[in-house]
């Protein structure tokens, strides 16, 4: 086995452990499992949805709440079909597909080429990518059956179609699309926001919402799915300020991940060399997933393409009369675009830790505390002592007013700690017999820290102040 193969196996092993923990501990389930599954769709369980909500909350706080110049939006998933013609998605939103002649798996050719180190991407046209694929076909192996026998490459459109509002049998000729990205809802509402909110250029519109793509291959768990959520911000600038604002946005997005608690050594910039014709510059922020550095977020300078296209296709002018200079122009757009699921996977990967504690091994999800699904778990020392259970329940109810909290009286304390470590709960509170005593002898509880595993006695009346200082939300 080569060193690269050994590393790949170790990486896959980590990924498998994360996938298995997510299922076992109620973070993420494969969709429709009792029916045999539904490819490239995942469901978020009780802890997954808390983690997902924390990720969205942090994004919204940074992108909207703390920014005077950015406002929020929630546009519909369905939009006028012409929008997808204007955006270029109907004609050009496609990935290169080839079929393995042996096992009939459908494969993304740019990924197969990337895996053997050949330069290719989804923006290449059919002719271009067929040429590169032909050149390298012999080196490429089907990831499913290992054979090297493929059809030619065809570009496959990723838009998902529906019959919404169309009651004919041949609706597929005139479909309503499920949105392939959320930002089109932002562009077509740009004027509404400008006319109704107290904004002037430069300003941004941010949105979190579902997007759908008919991805050819579902890869790497929630990294690439057919239904996913995006967090996108489109910032409208004057043409002369576009690149200055772009640099500011790049810095802000890097800092955002550090503030989120992602380890900096797991992040890097990737500059796009093969730009679409209208783009001024495009960078991805990549994260070091267990399967290597891959795109987490795109930060792009898009020129005036988006608003110009919508003005052309809708027939409604979208230019801006600058009150400061009297100048008229179509605003330029810089965007930040990231998937919720992809961020969740980065956070899970960053947090997954195996540690030796004495003779035992513990698995602990070291989530940044503000992202942890459960902030505090409360245990009665013994399950069969009603006075301990009643006191623990009362403390649990008090903490729940401010923080996501869990009550657990199953198994022994060691087992409960292990379970809370695996779901990344920063603090566990144990109610014991001393707690039931009045001060000065009692009235306190044991608080155990997830990362240091240190335990300290804290007075019940001081518990909330204690947690307030711990950056839990
Ligand atoms: N508006 C620009 C846009 O949509 P993109 O590179 O296609 O650009 C942006 O997508 C981000 O959305 C990606 O960086 C990724 O985080 C997320 N994303 C895209 N496709 C995805 C998929 N199939 N599954 C999960 N996340 C996806």
């Amino acid at each position: 086995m080569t060193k690269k193969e050994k590393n790949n196996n170790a990486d896959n092993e980590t990924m498998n452990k994360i996938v298995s923990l997510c299922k076992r501990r109620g973070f993420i389930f494969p969709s429709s499992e009792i029916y045999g599954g539904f490819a490239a769709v995942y469901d978020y369980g009780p802890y997954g949805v808390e983690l997902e909500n924390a990720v969205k909350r942090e994004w919204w706080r940074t992108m909207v709440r703390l920014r005077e110049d950015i406002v929020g939006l929630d546009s519909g998933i369905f939009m006028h079909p012409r929008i997808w013609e204007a955006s270029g998605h109907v004609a050009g939103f496609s990935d290169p597909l080839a079929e393995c002649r042996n096992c009939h798996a459908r494969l993304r050719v740019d990924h197969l080429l990337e895996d053997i180190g050949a330069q290719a991407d989804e923006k290449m046209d059919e002719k271009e990518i067929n040429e590169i694929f032909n050149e390298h076909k012999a080196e490429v192996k089907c990831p499913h059956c290992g054979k090297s026998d493929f059809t030619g490459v065809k570009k496959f459109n990723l838009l998902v179609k529906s019959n919404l509002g169309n009651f004919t049998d041949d609706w597929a000729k005139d479909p309503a699309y499920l949105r392939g990205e959320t930002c089109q809802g932002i562009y077509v509402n740009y004027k509404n926001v400008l006319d109704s909110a107290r904004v002037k250029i430069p300003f941004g519109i941010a949105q979190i919402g579902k997007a759908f793509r008919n991805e050819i291959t579902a890869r790497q768990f929630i990294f690439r799915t057919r239904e996913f959520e995006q967090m996108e911000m489109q910032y409208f600038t004057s043409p002369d300020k576009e690149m200055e604002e772009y640099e500011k946005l790049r810095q802000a997005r890097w800092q955002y991940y550090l503030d989120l608690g992602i380890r900096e050594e797991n992040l890097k910039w990737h500059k796009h060399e093969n730009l679409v014709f209208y783009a001024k510059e495009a960078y991805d922020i990549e994260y070091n997933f267990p399967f290597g550095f891959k795109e987490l977020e795109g930060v792009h300078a898009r020129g005036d393409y988006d608003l110009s296209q919508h003005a052309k296709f809708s027939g409604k002018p979208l230019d801006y009369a600058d009150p400061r200079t009297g100048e008229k122009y179509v605003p330029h757009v810089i965007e930040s675009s990231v998937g919720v699921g992809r961020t969740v996977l980065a956070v899970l990967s960053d947090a997954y830790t195996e540690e030796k504690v004495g003779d035992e091994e513990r698995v602990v999800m070291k989530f940044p505390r503000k992202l942890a699904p459960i902030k505090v778990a409360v245990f009665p020392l013994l399950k069969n002592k009603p006075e301990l259970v009643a006191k623990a329940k009362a403390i649990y109810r008090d903490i729940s007013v401010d923080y996501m909290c869990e009550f657990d009286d199953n198994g022994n304390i060691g087992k409960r700690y292990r379970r809370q470590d695996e779901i990344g709960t920063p603090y566990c509170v144990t109610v014991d017999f001393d707690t039931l005593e009045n001060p000065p002898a009692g009235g306190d509880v044991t608080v155990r820290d997830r990362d240091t595993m240190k335990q300290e006695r804290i007075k019940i009346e001081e518990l909330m102040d204690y947690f307030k200082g711990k950056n839990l939300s």
Side-chain angles (χ1 to χ4, degrees):
M1 197 186 284
T2 65
K3 200 169 164 209
K4 190 173 174 213
E5 279 169 337
K6 262 192 202 154
N7 285 345
N8 281 348
N9 281 354
D11 294 345
N12 287 340
E13 209 182 293
T14 308
M15 193 62 212
N16 290 342
K17 285 178 182 171
I18 292 173
V19 174
S20 145
L21 182 141
C22 281
K23 169 91 196 303
R24 185 161 39 85
R25 289 300 187 201
F27 281 91
I28 296 162
F29 309 126
S31 163
S32 320
E33 212 183 357
I34 59 169
Y35 285 88
F38 192 62
V41 182
Y42 286 90
D43 299 336
Y44 286 75
Y47 302 120
V49 70
E50 293 297 333
L51 181 57
E52 197 186 28
N53 284 342
V55 161
K56 289 194 264 186
R57 199 168 51 235
E58 279 308 300
W59 187 88
W60 196 264
R61 194 176 70 86
T62 314
M63 207 52 114
V64 182
R65 222 179 81 196
L66 298 179
R67 294 281 300 246
E68 284 174 35
D69 53 343
I70 301 180
V71 293
L73 180 80
D74 183 15
S75 67
I77 283 173
F78 290 99
M79 291 184 271
H80 197 293
R82 287 273 284 169
I83 287 173
W84 302 104
E85 288 171 32
S87 67
H89 283 74
V90 171
F93 187 47
S94 53
D95 281 342
L97 173 151
E99 197 173 309
C100 169
R101 285 208 177 94
N102 182 54
C103 71
H104 301 292
R106 295 196 168 138
L107 305 160
R108 249 188 89 166
V109 174
D110 53 333
H111 290 163
L112 293 177
L113 289 168
E114 189 186 302
D115 288 346
I116 60 156
Q119 275 298 320
D121 70 45
E122 78 284 359
K123 290 195 268 326
M124 291 174 170
D125 66 28
E126 216 166 85
K127 185 166 170 279
E128 213 176 339
I129 200 148
N130 261 304
E131 277 169 11
I132 301 176
F133 194 47
N134 286 337
E135 220 175 281
H136 294 279
K137 244 180 193 170
E139 299 158 60
V140 176
K141 286 194 171 62
C142 170
H144 301 278
C145 69
K147 292 267 161 20
S148 275
D149 187 10
F150 303 101
T151 62
V153 186
K154 275 213 160 346
K155 293 280 272 186
F156 182 83
N157 192 286
L158 301 185
L159 281 179
V160 177
K161 295 173 180 174
S162 87
N163 67 347
L164 190 86
N166 185 331
F167 305 97
T168 63
D169 286 337
D170 57 356
W171 61 268
K173 286 190 189 136
D174 188 17
Y177 298 100
L178 279 80
R179 65 182 172 199
E181 57 180 10
T182 54
C183 60
Q184 296 303 327
I186 295 179
Y187 302 140
V188 299
N189 277 295
Y190 148 79
K191 191 112 190 24
N192 284 336
V193 173
L194 186 67
D195 292 346
S196 59
R198 298 186 61 249
V199 288
K200 50 186 184 310
I201 278 183
F203 75 95
I205 304 178
Q207 157 154 255
I208 301 178
K210 290 265 175 160
F212 303 83
R213 297 183 187 178
N214 227 340
E215 299 285 358
I216 295 164
T217 44
R219 291 221 306 187
Q220 287 121 353
F221 193 36
I222 52 169
F223 179 81
R224 189 180 306 284
T225 52
R226 294 192 177 126
E227 175 181 339
F228 58 101
E229 237 175 333
Q230 282 187 316
M231 304 184 279
E232 295 202 292
M233 194 282 294
Q234 310 293 312
Y235 200 75
F236 301 92
T237 80
S238 59
D240 59 327
K241 292 275 191 266
E242 179 179 3
M243 295 318 287
E244 188 184 319
E245 292 295 346
Y246 180 66
E247 281 314 313
K248 281 201 246 167
L249 182 63
R250 285 217 305 132
Q251 278 170 31
R253 294 309 297 156
W254 187 264
Q255 190 56 44
Y256 160 80
Y257 287 108
L258 303 187
D259 294 345
L260 198 61
I262 299 282
R263 280 177 277 163
E264 194 164 16
E265 68 266 25
N266 284 334
L267 294 169
K268 73 173 188 200
W269 286 106
H270 165 78
K271 187 174 194 232
H272 288 217
E273 298 303 337
N274 182 16
L275 289 175
V276 279
F277 69 92
Y278 51 81
K280 296 267 184 59
E281 199 155 271
Y283 275 88
D284 294 336
I285 296 177
E286 293 192 337
Y287 177 78
N288 188 15
F289 293 99
F291 39 84
F293 274 100
K294 296 272 176 223
E295 176 183 343
L296 172 61
E297 151 157 6
V299 189
H300 306 146
R302 302 178 54 86
D304 65 359
Y305 177 77
D306 305 292
L307 290 188
S308 296
Q309 283 294 99
H310 286 303
K312 189 167 135 197
F313 277 69
S314 67
K316 304 281 186 319
L318 292 175
D319 41 7
Y320 178 77
D322 198 315
R324 280 171 297 217
T325 60
E327 204 193 335
K328 244 182 156 190
Y329 53 80
V330 175
H332 285 215
V333 167
I334 56 174
E335 89 168 341
S336 150
S337 174
V338 58
V340 174
R342 224 170 259 195
T343 312
V344 166
L345 186 56
V347 170
L348 286 166
S349 310
D350 231 54
Y352 183 84
T353 313
E354 290 174 0
E355 279 178 354
K356 254 220 153 350
V357 183
D359 291 339
E360 284 188 23
E361 191 140 286
R362 79 162 181 155
V363 171
V364 51
M365 296 302 282
K366 291 192 174 176
F367 293 125
R369 285 177 288 212
K370 62 184 167 189
L371 299 182
I374 302 293
K375 311 296 181 188
V376 184
V378 183
F379 315 147
L381 181 67
L382 297 171
K383 187 181 182 162
N384 57 0
K385 295 287 173 204
E387 60 280 31
L388 290 180
V389 173
K391 189 73 190 166
K393 278 252 161 93
I395 292 173
Y396 157 75
R397 278 193 293 269
D398 280 352
I399 299 176
S400 296
V401 173
D402 289 310
Y403 301 112
M404 202 65 203
C405 188
E406 195 167 87
F407 176 85
D408 190 2
D409 60 2
N410 266 321
N412 62 33
I413 293 282
K415 211 168 151 197
R416 293 179 210 164
Y417 281 156
R418 276 199 294 283
R419 184 171 173 279
Q420 295 300 331
D421 283 346
E422 282 202 329
I423 62 169
T425 306
Y427 296 102
C428 293
V429 169
T430 303
V431 170
D432 55 24
F433 291 104
D434 284 347
T435 311
L436 304 179
E437 301 285 321
N438 285 325
D444 50 13
V445 287
T446 300
V447 179
R448 183 255 198 185
D449 181 295
R450 175 195 71 193
D451 299 338
T452 62
M453 291 183 288
K454 288 215 173 92
Q455 303 186 4
E456 52 184 323
R457 292 297 286 190
I458 304 286
K459 287 200 164 42
I460 294 170
E461 69 261 28
E462 289 169 9
L463 257 186
M464 292 316 284
D465 279 343
Y466 176 85
F467 291 133
K468 254 187 212 142
K470 299 293 184 191
N471 197 14
L472 291 176
S473 54

